[in-house]
Amino acid sequence: MVEEVGGVRVYVTDTEVVDELGAVDLISQAVYDHDATWVALEADLLGDEFFDLRTGRAGAITQKFVQYGVGFAVVGDLTDRLAKSEPLRDWVRESNRGRSVVFVPELDELADRLQGR
């Protein structure tokens, strides 16, 4: 489903993404099938390894979005995960300061983040 969020076309999907190939497939769907410039995905669809930064999965997946110039929003409550990992807290905080990858508790909050982008 595509939504206009803060004036930006966002492809909101329930597709599980657990590796780089899945990320590239999702990016292709968003851009070519839905003319979207951002993808929003529920955090649970990324799997536990995404949030264990030692695996490198988060970096590999988010790098594909950056590489292809498609914004990536991870949607969901990460409170428990953030409480258990200082590196994850740091990465989420830094990502939210940037322009390519954001973490938001709910899709409604994404509009605020996308204003002016």
Side-chain angles (χ1 to χ4, degrees):
M1 150 178 85
V2 176
E3 291 191 23
E4 289 287 330
V5 179
V8 176
R9 286 182 62 85
V10 178
Y11 179 48
V12 181
T13 181
D14 60 359
T15 302
E16 187 176 73
V17 175
V18 295
D19 58 21
E20 294 163 87
L21 182 58
V24 171
D25 287 344
L26 186 56
I27 292 164
S28 295
Q29 287 175 18
V31 172
Y32 298 111
D33 296 345
H34 302 286
D35 197 30
T37 56
W38 276 76
V39 171
L41 185 69
E42 285 288 330
D44 292 340
L45 296 172
L46 291 164
D48 290 334
E49 285 188 28
F50 181 89
F51 297 99
D52 180 355
L53 298 183
R54 294 172 297 183
T55 67
R57 184 165 291 170
I61 288 173
T62 56
Q63 182 60 34
K64 290 299 177 190
F65 284 90
V66 172
Q67 203 172 7
Y68 288 97
V70 175
F72 184 48
V74 178
V75 181
D77 182 6
L78 300 179
T79 304
D80 291 342
R81 293 179 191 276
L82 295 175
K84 295 176 186 173
S85 172
E86 185 175 344
L88 181 61
R89 279 193 307 272
D90 292 344
W91 183 59
V92 167
R93 185 181 60 251
E94 289 302 315
S95 294
N96 282 342
R97 289 181 182 163
R99 301 182 131 310
S100 302
V101 179
V102 297
F103 293 82
V104 293
E106 295 182 17
L107 191 59
D108 292 343
E109 191 174 314
L110 183 58
D112 295 336
R113 300 280 175 105
L114 295 180
Q115 291 294 352
R117 289 188 188 207

